[in-house]
Every structure is written in structure tokens, then in C-alpha cells.
Amino acid sequence: MIRSLSIIKKTWFSKNTFGLEFSLPGIKPRPGQFFQVRVNDSMDPFLNRPISIASYSGNRLLLIIKIIGKGTNILSKRREREQVTLFGPYGKGIVPKRQKSILLAGGIGVAPLHFLAQMHYKRKIPFTFLYGAKTYDEIILKASIKHMANRSIFVTEYGSGRRGTVVSAVKGMDLSDYAIVYACGPQAMLIALQQLHLPLPVYAFCEDFLGCGCGLCLGCAIMYNGTYKRICEDGPVFELERIHFEN
Amino acid sequence: MIRSLSIIKKTWFSKNTFGLEFSLPGIKPRPGQFFQVRVNDSMDPFLNRPISIASYSGNRLLLIIKIIGKGTNILSKRREREQVTLFGPYGKGIVPKRQKSILLAGGIGVAPLHFLAQMHYKRKIPFTFLYGAKTYDEIILKASIKHMANRSIFVTEYGSGRRGTVVSAVKGMDLSDYAIVYACGPQAMLIALQQLHLPLPVYAFCEDFLGCGCGLCLGCAIMYNGTYKRICEDGPVFELERIHFEN
Amino acid sequence: MKIKLFGTHLKNRVLLASGVFGFGLKFKRVTNSVGAIFTKGITAQPRKGNPPPRIYETSSGMINWVGLENPGVEYFCTNIIPQLKKLKTRIFVNIAGFTMDEYEHSVERIGDTVDGFELNISCPNVKEGGIAFGQNAKMASMVVARARKKTRLPLIVKLTPNFCDPLVIAKACVEAGADGISLINTVYATAYDIKKRKPLITGGLSGPAIKPFALYCVNRVRNVGVPIIGMGGIVSGQDAYEFLLAGASAVAVGSVVLRDPYAPLRIIKELKKFIYQETKHAR
Amino acid sequence: MKIKLFGTHLKNRVLLASGVFGFGLKFKRVTNSVGAIFTKGITAQPRKGNPPPRIYETSSGMINWVGLENPGVEYFCTNIIPQLKKLKTRIFVNIAGFTMDEYEHSVERIGDTVDGFELNISCPNVKEGGIAFGQNAKMASMVVARARKKTRLPLIVKLTPNFCDPLVIAKACVEAGADGISLINTVYATAYDIKKRKPLITGGLSGPAIKPFALYCVNRVRNVGVPIIGMGGIVSGQDAYEFLLAGASAVAVGSVVLRDPYAPLRIIKELKKFIYQETKHAR
Ligand SMILES: Cc1cc2nc3c(=O)[nH]c(=O)nc-3n(C[C@H](O)[C@H](O)[C@H](O)COP(=O)(O)OP(=O)(O)OC[C@H]3O[C@@H](n4cnc5c(N)ncnc54)[C@H](O)[C@@H]3O)c2cc1C
Ligand SMILES: Cc1cc2nc3c(=O)[nH]c(=O)nc-3n(C[C@H](O)[C@H](O)[C@H](O)COP(=O)(O)OP(=O)(O)OC[C@H]3O[C@@H](n4cnc5c(N)ncnc54)[C@H](O)[C@@H]3O)c2cc1C
Ligand SMILES: Cc1cc2nc3c(=O)[nH]c(=O)nc-3n(C[C@H](O)[C@H](O)[C@H](O)COP(=O)(O)O)c2cc1C
Ligand SMILES: Cc1cc2nc3c(=O)[nH]c(=O)nc-3n(C[C@H](O)[C@H](O)[C@H](O)COP(=O)(O)O)c2cc1C
Ligand code: FES
Ligand code: FES
């Protein structure tokens, strides 16, 4: 679906991360699903930017975007009431299992996991939210996470608060109580997590440069179970153990 | 000079023509001079847009821009207090002669001639302002022109008001009183004007696709007196009789 | 906008370029609206394609290095063609290969179950074969001649503008029996990873960045004597019309569908207006 | 960022590409800050250049069809060189020609009054000569060999990526005595006038649109044995650095100065940071 939606609300969550809210009735999105966001009408940037659903509740769609480079920088200048062109929701996403789980977010990886947390919360599935960022300022959505999660842990690499990475934090946890882990963050984090070989299934939300975002171009690929899968169409959520990271 | 200036005021003169005002002390521009206006930071559009000085008074610079295509369309979305990058003023422009003159504007050609009118008015040089547009709505700056000009004539091709083109209008005028004509408008108008062979010198404000706008790239050319001149550096004002229009 | 091309009737002049719409089995509203679809490149053997990253964005364009990921001609014939038959559009199968035998084999194997073939002798993303045939008139002509013997269906040859003159190659292909020429395939391109200080991706450049180059190439080949399918950077009906002015009989849209899978519908509509204007003008 | 190139010391690795800064006599703050300037192409006879329009904007790029407007080598020697001598930068004269004699003549006439030559055998904007020499290894090698006999100054050859493999041509040029290779010159391009329904301009494409193609070409030629001046679409220090990664010893900036005549100053500064990072890394 192609949609031109008006920005109902724009919120700055941190100095380089902002949220855009849209009214979008009639979709039934799954966590992990994302929209391909048109940056502007210019041919530079040429491709859309994949942005996960961070919240969907009462027909209100929230996208949270961290400024990384050219495209997200231009998007950050959009204002309320301006139109944004979106394609999607794309991706298979996941249907959350009814099992006690850990949501493990690194950096902007918090966005799709926040939507997953929302689902858990609505369905009364207990979960712990473990969330790490470089500095304390970069921790966003804290109140909402605290409100929904049975337990929430925030770690940072520098500055105040509990020190460390989410990977080191999960390593030190007693996991006997949990049945499943969902993780989203930079690839380096996913690789470190994979090396822990946790004794429970881990579902990873993966990233890559996307072309179409909808299975047409074969531009995204992830080596999974010995064959290439589409991040956009077959994922972006995959069982971590079976991924072979190549780049 | 490269300058990043804040838009002090934005005005819509007609439904597709707007003005941007900047504070810019310390320049002594001549009519016909223009700025190379950066559209945005994207590489598409790649080149700057040449825009004439439409008014300069009390350190206030006014640029008037008609929406034509991609670049001017993007510029039309700029708001007050946003920054615009400008290079210039470029071009030789002209020093108005102290002689009674006719200012002959077609369409957006009114912009540089408005600045010329301002100069005439300040120096108390008498002039008639003859200004044509497609429709009456497109006639802009009417009050200001009426205020400054000794006589002003507005003609339109369609709709209310006096009918006709500036070329047909000037053809019907008694020119014995005047010493000089300044003309700015589409090339078709300049060609038609040239064919009239008016009995007094005509100075034409010319256009072309510009590259650099400042004499570096040899990308603009006008056949003048048998050799190629730079529109940007040697003009954009040339004696109409000596121009050989090629495109 | 109906046209007759290669003896077949097409709904309109806007086709889907190879590789950007898979086999046309998704977004069927789009597939069923275009004049024809060129499938993703098919090789004799299945290929898993290149490791990620396969795509990299550039100014007004993109580089791809997909590497001809496809299930191979056997699977294609058994599992895909039956589905393609249900589409309401013409199907041209893009055939890639590493040896001349492979091209010949695939064409023969597919037989006359589709509407035609596009011989891809211009893919910059594989090491052997492919583009090497497209850069050499003699080899190009051999590939075409051998495929020609195996099919009576329309045989289009897709050319590269990379380091060879498409006119020279096009002439050789037409002499060897090609019914049409499509161009351009992507342009050689490299992007660097400045952190790792080595190439991030080496592949083919496409998108609006290459449009002026593509128009040049199409115009250069225009008098070769067979219909030309023009492509490279088309994002609007105006772009498409420019390719017709340059000598193309139809156009194919590629990268723009990554930006907007519904773009072909818009382009068809916009192009209609230009063609209408022109015919009005001619009256 | 000082470097020694062709036996000469340059202030830094950012040079001004031919044709976008005239003779370097305007914006002297910029001219005097770059490592060297390549002058606008000089021909044996004066040339008035092509009729307008000479420039056309495209997505992330532009087409130019200036047509080597220049006052000819005599005027250049008598009137321009004395002024060039006052600049605080190195001067490489871009030499264009329509016959081999012309190249030879211009090089000889200019003698050793400048810092070196760039033989332009790659201009797409003139009908005869020029690019034809650059598309053929044998002819390229003859042009170079003849110029070589006339000068001991650094002799750089500027190559085209149009319809020929720059590596093949580069090898021939080096064998014939070239001290350096610069690439890429502009890419063949056409733009259409949809109102008049005919080509508006046919010329050379430059700007960010061609950067990925240019990087590919530079990387391809990197081991040819002489220093390479890389160019094509550079607009930032990062772009410049990417060309160094691709194998260039220095870079030239072209079209970006049309967008911003002061861009070279910024690019020098930005590139310094990248090079500093790298040497820090190496320590
Ligand atoms: C399925 C998916 C969901 C995502 N969800 C979110 C989200 O909710 N919020 C958020 O802030 N970010 C999200 N990202 C990452 C986001 O898409 C990139 O940060 C963004 O595209 C960067 O664009 P840019 O122009 O600012 O950066 P640039 O570096 O200038 O982009 C250049 C090119 O690289 C691509 N690119 C750069 N970084 C990434 C990356 N990490 N992943 C994929 N492509 C990249 C861009 O799409 C573009 O094609 C998601 C990515 C994927 C694949
Ligand atoms: C010396 C000079 C002074 C000018 N002063 C003014 C002014 O005060 N107000 C105003 O509204 N316009 C003025 N123009 C015309 C204005 O520059 C063009 O209308 C504008 O560049 C169109 O840009 P676009 O992206 O909207 O159009 P597009 O058609 O999308 O532009 C595509 C390309 O064509 C060029 N172009 C298109 N039309 C023209 C044109 N008529 N002249 C030159 N280049 C063109 C653009 O610069 C760009 O490179 C002036 C032009 C020149 C040469
Ligand atoms: C992601 C991608 C995959 C492609 N795969 C193929 C292919 O399999 N076979 C082929 O002949 N061309 C392939 N192409 C080239 C396109 O068909 C087209 O020739 C080229 O992209 C230029 O058109 P565009 O600028 O509109 O994309 C591919 C292009 C892209 C962007
Ligand atoms: C307006 C213009 C004029 C040019 N004139 C010449 C020339 O006279 N001789 C030459 O060798 N190259 C000429 N070039 C090519 C540039 O030197 C350069 O090789 C090319 O533009 C690619 O670099 P860029 O993308 O940074 O512009 C010209 C380029 C432009 C844009
Ligand atoms: S991005 Fe196109 S298939 Fe995944
Ligand atoms: S526009 Fe560059 S010289 Fe006039």
C-alpha cells in the first residue's frame, strides 16, 4: 500500500531521535513490521528508509527515527501537518508467543521492541525489558517501558546509571524463568549475543540496506539455515542461532 | 561571496510567485545583477538558480521567484527564519542612464526591472513602466510600480484590463519623448521586440541555463556582436540590436 | 497506447525491467497493467546470489550486486511458468549464462511456454560469462545465433554500455537474428566503505543518475533496424517519452519500483498524456 | 597534505579539474589554495565554442556541451601564461586537439613555461579528433609518444570511460611515456527537448551522478604504474577520500564548483581530517 499521511504529532525523544505519529486505521500490524518511508520528492536520496512500527494503538501509528545520515536528517525536518509518503506495512514480523520473555534492545533497536512490549502488555504476557544505549540521554521511552514491563533494566556504556552492554547484562541474568528472547540492535550486538549461545530461543530483528522492502528486488539477503532469505519479506525477525552473519 | 541568509519575510505576490526578503548590508548592487540561489543540500537539483535583485533598499534585499519547475518549487516551500544560501551578486548589470526611459517587462521579467525602476525613482530619472502578463492575476508589484513610474501601463493577453502584449503596446506608443528602452521577459518577447527595430537603443536582460553564474564554466553563451559573450559575467544586460538569438 | 511489437500485441509501452519485480507474482495489479514483464534473470543452474550488502544507494541512483539469485531453469519451468501463465501481461524471460551452452539450453528448455526471451549478455555482477559476451561483437553474435536456432519466439538482446559501443554490438546481434535490442543494463560502479577502507560493493549503477547516458545510448542505436526497448533511470512519463523520442519503441522501468512499486501505473498514465498530446499535434 | 607528484611538490591533493575554473584567474583565493589547477582545454587554433544551451541539469548531475571554447595556444602563451605565473599553485595545461599535429604543436609552443600538461583525448563535445584518440589504444599511444618527444614536463593523459576500457588505454599511454593518468572525463549524455521533440543537448555528464562509475574506473586502472588523478562527482572530503582508496594519488574537483566556487576550500579541509584519521590509525 502507498499512503500519504499527515504528521499528527512530532516528538523529540532525545537530541537525535524523534517520533512521528500518524492516524492510520484498518491495519493489523505485527511487531517487526516496518514502513518504507519516502524521504522527499527529490531523487537524492533515491531509496525509501525502512522504519519499524514503534507503537500502534487506537489507530495511531508511531514511528521513531534516529538521525543517522542524509535521509533521516531530512526526515527530521518534517513538521506537524506535513505529509509523509509511506509504503507498507512490510515484513512478516512475528506473532508474540504466550511465554515469559526477555526483550533485549540496543540503541534504536528499542523501536520495534517497544511495539512488541505493547503487544505483550495488551495480551498480559509477562516480560523483562533489557535496554542498553551509549549514554543515559539516549535511553528513550523509559516511562512507557517501565509501565508495561514486569521488570525493566537500563544499561549504558558511558555516564550515569548501570554500566555495561545488554549482552553483558543478559549474560549475568538468571534465565531459568524465561522461555524466549527477542533482540534488536546493531549487528555487532546480535553477533555478540549469538556467541553467548543462550539456553533459550532468541529471535533477532535484523537490518540490512533495503531496496524495495517488499520482496521484489532481492536486494536484501541474510544467510539463514544455509540459504539466503529476504530480510524484508521473510523477516526481519529470524532465529538468531540459524543466522550466518556475513557482513 | 557565499552567504547563508535568514528569510526575514516571505510574501506571496500571486499564486505562483513569491518574494523572499533578506537583510544584507554592504553591497552596492546594480540592476540586472542576480544571485545564484542554492535550492537545498541535496544533489538533486544540482545547480543553483539565478534570481535577479528585485529590490534593494535600506539593506533589505528582495528576490521575487516564479515557480517554474523543480527548483523554484522546492524554494517556494522555504519559510521565514529558515536559511538560504546565496552566491553573488553576480553579473555586470547596468548603471542606469540619466535619460527618460521605458521599462518593458514581460512576466517575471518584472523582477529586475522593478529594481531598475527603484534606481530611476531614487535618482529622479523619469520613466514609463510597461508591463505585460498572461492574466491580470499575474501582474505583481502594481502599487509599487504605479508609485514610482511617471506612467505605468499594464497589459494582459487574457482576461480583464488592457489587452495585448508589451511588444504590441510599445509598437503603438509615441517614442519621440524617450531616449532608451530596458526590456526583460521571455526570449520570444525579446525576439519580437528586436524585430520592431525601435528607433532608440534597447537594452535587453537576457536568460539562459546558467552553470556557475560567475564566468568560470563557459556554460552560458550569447552571440553578441559576432562573438560569444557570457550572459552571467558580461551581462545579463546587452544591447538588443547586437544580439543574435540562436536557441 | 496499445502497440504491436515483435508480432505480439502489448497493452502499452511501459514494461517492467528485469530484476526489479521478481517474476511478477506480487503486486499483480501492477504486473497486469504493464505491457510486458521481463523476469529476473534465469540461469541454467540455480544460484544463491551474492552475500550482503547487495544494494547501496548513491546520488540519484543505486548500485546493485544481487548476483543473479534465481532458482534455475528447471525449477522455473516446473514451478514458476504455470503461475506466469495466469498473468494478464506478456512474459519475456531474461536469460543469463556463463557459457554459450547455458543460454542455448535455457532457451530450448523453456520452449514456447512464454512470450519471448531477453538474452542478458550485460550483467556486471557475475565473474565469468555474461557481460563478456556483451562486450564483444563476435561472441554476442554467437550467443544470439545459437539461441535463434532454438526458438521462433521474439528474441531480444540486452546490451551493456560498459566499455564497448552498444551500436557495434547491436548490429552484430541483429545480423545474428535478434528481433529487438534492450538497453541499457546497469553501469559499472563501485562504492567504498570508508571505515574498512576497501570496496563495500562493486556492481551496477541504475536510477535517474544514468538516464542521460541511457538516452545517449538509445539514440545511438536507434537506426539498427529492430525495435528498441529503452531503459535507465525512468521515473516519470516524461522520462519514458524522452526514450521514445530517442528512438525506443517501448520502455522498461527498473529501479523506480524500489522507490514505489506502483510507479509503473503512474508512468503509464503520464506517458499516455504525452502521446495524446503528440497525436493531437500531428492531426 | 603536501605531496610530491610527478617530481613536483603540491600543496595538497585537491586539484581543480579542467574546464570548471577557466584559467584560474578568478576566485584566486581558491586557485591559490589547491594543489594544482588544470586549465580549460587549449587548442592550436582559437575556438568560439558551441551555441547555447551549453549546460543542462540532470538528476544529481549536469550535461555540458561547451565545445572547447578557448582563445587558442598563441593567445594563451602571450596573454594568459604571464598571468598564470603569478598564481601560487601548480599549472597543468589541458591540451585538446583535432589532429595529432595539434597536440604536438601546442605542447611544443607552450614549452616549459608551466608545470605540466594534461592531454585531453577524451572530450565528448567536439566532432573530430579528441575522444577518438582516447578510445583507441594505438592512437592514444601515438598522441602521447609525440607529445613526449616535445616536453620533459609531467605529461598526464586524461581518459574517457566512454565505450572503451580505460585500463587498456591507460596501459598504452604509460608505455608511450605518460607520467600520470587522470580520469574520468565526462560520460556521453543526451537530454531531450520534449516540446520540440528533438535532442536539446548532447554532451558530457558530470557531477555526483557519475561518482560510482568514476570510482570503478579509477579502481580498475589503479595498478597501471603511474600516479592517478581521480575525478568524477566529488563534492566532499569523503568523496575525495574514496577516490584515494580507489587508487588515486590526488583528486580533481569539477562540477561542484559550479554549485559553489568555494567548495575546493571545504573539500581540502574535510579531506585533511580523513587523512589525519588514517595516519593516526596507522600509528
Ligand atoms: C527492517 C528495518 C527496520 C528499521 N527500523 C528503524 C526504526 O524504527 N528507527 C530507526 O531509526 N531506524 C530503523 N532502521 C534503520 C534505518 O532504516 C536507517 O538508520 C536509515 O535508513 C538510515 O538512513 P540515512 O539516510 O539517515 O543514513 P545513510 O547512512 O545516509 O543512508 C544511506 C543508505 O544506507 C541505508 N542504511 C544506513 N544505515 C542503515 C541501517 N542501519 N539499516 C538499513 N539501512 C541502512 C539507508 O537506507 C540508505 O539506503 C531500520 C532498518 C531496517 C532494515
Ligand atoms: C540572470 C537571470 C536572472 C533571473 N532572474 C529571475 C528572477 O528574478 N525571478 C525568477 O522567478 N526567475 C528568474 N530567472 C529565471 C530562473 O532562474 C528560472 O526560472 C529557474 O532557474 C527555473 O528553475 P526550476 O528548477 O524551477 O525550473 P526547471 O525547469 O526545473 O529547471 C531545470 C534547469 O533549467 C534551468 N532553467 C529553467 N528555466 C530557466 C530560465 N528561464 N532561465 C535560466 N535557467 C532556467 C534551471 O536553472 C535548471 O538548471 C532568472 C534567470 C537568469 C538567467
Ligand atoms: C536490483 C536490480 C536487479 C537487476 N537484475 C537484473 C537482471 O537480473 N537481469 C537484467 O538483465 N537486468 C537486471 N537489472 C537491470 C535493470 O533491468 C535495468 O536494465 C537497469 O536497472 C537500468 O534501468 P533503471 O535505471 O530504470 O533501473 C537489475 C537492476 C536492479 C536495480
Ligand atoms: C563545464 C565543464 C567544462 C569542462 N571542460 C573540460 C575541458 O575543457 N577539458 C577536459 O579535459 N575536461 C573538461 N571537463 C571535464 C571535467 O574536467 C571532469 O573531468 C568531469 O567534469 C568530471 O568531474 P566532475 O564530476 O567533478 O565534474 C569539463 C567539465 C565541465 C562540467
Ligand atoms: S529489499 Fe528488495 S527484496 Fe528485500
Ligand atoms: S554560467 Fe558559468 S560562465 Fe556563465
Side-chain angles (χ1 to χ4, degrees), chain D residues 158-211:
Chain D
K158 183 157 179 182
L159 301 188
T160 176
N162 288 321
F163 301 163
C164 63
D165 183 347
L167 179 57
V168 172
I169 312 294
K171 278 183 182 160
C173 292
V174 172
E175 221 160 88
D179 300 307
I181 295 292
S182 62
L183 76 172
I184 59 174
N185 209 324
T186 53
V187 177
Y188 280 146
T190 304
Y192 278 81
D193 184 327
I194 53 158
K195 286 203 188 111
K196 298 189 185 151
R197 289 192 274 135
K198 56 174 202 189
L200 176 69
I201 186 170
T202 293
L205 181 64
S206 61
I210 68 169
K211 192 188 85 171

Side-chain angles (χ1 to χ4, degrees), chain B residues 1-2 38 40-49 87 90 209 212 214-216 218-219 221 228 230 233 246-247, chain D residues 19-22 26-27 48-55 57 59-61 66 69 208 235 255 258-262:
Chain B
M1 276 293 281
I2 172 173
R38 168 77 54 84
N40 60 19
D41 287 344
S42 162
M43 293 299 141
D44 174 42
F46 183 63
L47 297 171
N48 303 325
R49 299 316 195 231
F87 298 85
Y90 286 151
F209 299 130
C212 62
C214 53
L216 292 171
L218 311 188
Y228 280 125
R230 306 289 127 234
E233 197 185 18
E246 292 178 297
N247 56 337
Chain D
V20 296
F21 229 71
K26 291 165 195 157
F27 294 86
K48 66 181 174 62
N50 291 330
R54 291 179 174 186
I55 290 254
E57 190 187 59
S59 291
S60 296
V66 169
E69 172 174 340
V235 302
S255 310
L258 275 60
R259 200 177 142 94
D260 175 2
Y262 307 98

Side-chain angles (χ1 to χ4, degrees), chain B residues 85-106:
Chain B
T85 301
L86 304 174
F87 298 85
Y90 286 151
K92 245 180 26 190
I94 43 155
V95 181
K97 303 225 164 77
R98 299 207 159 269
Q99 293 175 309
K100 184 164 184 187
S101 55
I102 301 179
L103 275 55
L104 208 151

Side-chain angles (χ1 to χ4, degrees), chain A residues 217-218, chain C residues 18-19 39-43 45-50 54 64-72 94-98 102-103 120 122-131 185:
Chain A
C217 74
L218 312 189
Chain C
S18 174
T39 67
K40 175 71 198 166
I42 298 291
T43 51
Q45 300 304 318
R47 282 177 57 84
K48 67 180 173 62
N50 290 330
R54 291 178 173 185
N64 91 78
W65 185 67
V66 169
L68 290 176
E69 172 175 340
N70 82 91
N94 184 274
I95 306 282
F98 303 90
E102 285 181 14
Y103 284 96
N120 174 1
S122 46
C123 178
N125 294 337
V126 286
K127 288 222 176 81
E128 332 79 44
I131 197 166
N185 208 324

Side-chain angles (χ1 to χ4, degrees), chain A residues 34 49-52 64-66 68-72 108 111 206-210 236, chain C residues 57:
Chain A
F34 60 94
R49 298 313 193 237
I51 302 293
S52 310
I64 300 181
I65 305 175
K66 179 171 172 181
I68 297 294
K70 196 163 60 174
T72 48
I108 190 63
C206 299
E207 289 194 1
D208 187 14
F209 299 131
L210 298 192
Chain C
E57 189 188 60

Side-chain angles (χ1 to χ4, degrees), chain C residues 60-119:
Chain C
S60 295
M62 56 176 280
I63 306 176
N64 91 78
W65 185 67
V66 169
L68 290 176
E69 172 175 340
N70 82 91
V73 74
E74 274 312 315
Y75 185 96
F76 179 73
C77 288
T78 322
N79 297 287
I80 310 289
I81 290 183
Q83 297 181 65
L84 292 179
K85 289 209 164 295
K86 293 180 205 150
L87 295 175
K88 296 188 203 67
T89 189
R90 301 289 171 188
I91 309 291
F92 292 88
V93 184
N94 184 274
I95 306 282
F98 303 90
T99 63
M100 298 210 187
D101 287 345
E102 285 181 14
Y103 284 96
E104 192 178 4
H105 169 76
S106 294
V107 168
E108 188 168 23
R109 176 68 187 83
I110 293 168
D112 55 7
T113 56
V114 295
D115 297 299
F117 296 97
E118 180 181 51
L119 298 180

Side-chain angles (χ1 to χ4, degrees), chain C:
Chain C
M1 290 229 294
K2 259 193 194 165
I3 53 159
K4 198 169 168 185
L5 212 60
F6 317 122
T8 329
H9 286 276
L10 307 186
K11 244 176 248 179
N12 58 59
R13 295 171 196 264
V14 179
L15 325 181
L16 279 168
S18 174
V20 295
F21 230 71
F23 297 122
L25 300 173
K26 290 165 197 159
F27 294 86
K28 286 197 184 149
R29 185 159 68 94
V30 178
T31 319
N32 288 333
S33 301
V34 295
I37 166 164
F38 293 98
T39 67
K40 175 71 198 166
I42 298 291
T43 51
Q45 300 304 318
R47 282 177 57 84
K48 67 180 173 62
N50 290 330
R54 291 178 173 185
I55 290 253
Y56 187 79
E57 189 188 60
T58 66
S59 291
S60 295
M62 56 176 280
I63 306 176
N64 91 78
W65 185 67
V66 169
L68 290 176
E69 172 175 340
N70 82 91
V73 74
E74 274 312 315
Y75 185 96
F76 179 73
C77 288
T78 322
N79 297 287
I80 310 289
I81 290 183
Q83 297 181 65
L84 292 179
K85 289 209 164 295
K86 293 180 205 150
L87 295 175
K88 296 188 203 67
T89 189
R90 301 289 171 188
I91 309 291
F92 292 88
V93 184
N94 184 274
I95 306 282
F98 303 90
T99 63
M100 298 210 187
D101 287 345
E102 285 181 14
Y103 284 96
E104 192 178 4
H105 169 76
S106 294
V107 168
E108 188 168 23
R109 176 68 187 83
I110 293 168
D112 55 7
T113 56
V114 295
D115 297 299
F117 296 97
E118 180 181 51
L119 298 180
N120 174 1
I121 52 171
S122 46
C123 178
N125 294 337
V126 286
K127 288 222 176 81
E128 332 79 44
I131 197 166
F133 299 139
Q135 291 173 323
N136 180 303
K138 216 163 154 184
M139 292 211 269
S141 129
M142 277 171 69
V143 175
V144 174
R146 288 180 59 177
R148 181 74 290 170
K149 287 210 190 95
K150 301 295 176 184
T151 185
R152 291 181 186 183
L153 293 185
L155 197 58
I156 302 165
V157 189
K158 183 157 178 182
L159 301 187
T160 175
N162 288 321
F163 301 161
C164 63
D165 183 348
L167 178 57
V168 173
I169 312 294
K171 278 182 182 159
C173 293
V174 171
E175 221 159 273
D179 299 308
I181 296 291
S182 63
L183 76 170
I184 59 173
N185 208 324
T186 53
V187 177
Y188 280 146
T190 305
Y192 278 82
D193 183 328
I194 53 158
K195 285 203 189 112
K196 297 189 185 151
R197 290 191 274 134
K198 55 175 204 190
L200 176 70
I201 188 170
T202 293
L205 181 65
S206 61
I210 67 169
K211 191 187 85 172
F213 185 31
L215 282 169
Y216 180 93
C217 292
V218 169
N219 184 54
R220 183 164 174 85
V221 175
R222 69 183 304 157
N223 293 322
V224 77
V226 298
I228 294 170
I229 316 293
M231 71 195 81
I234 294 172
V235 302
S236 69
Q238 178 175 326
D239 293 336
Y241 187 61
E242 289 167 9
F243 277 87
L244 300 186
L245 292 176
S249 299
V251 301
V253 298
S255 309
V256 69
V257 305
L258 276 59
R259 202 178 139 93
D260 175 2
Y262 307 98
L265 304 177
R266 174 178 52 79
I267 293 170
I268 290 167
K269 237 199 283 178
E270 291 171 355
L271 179 59
K272 262 188 193 146
K273 274 192 208 146
F274 280 99
I275 291 175
Y276 175 75
Q277 283 294 332
E278 180 174 321
T279 51
K280 210 178 68 174
H281 194 92
R283 268 180 241 139

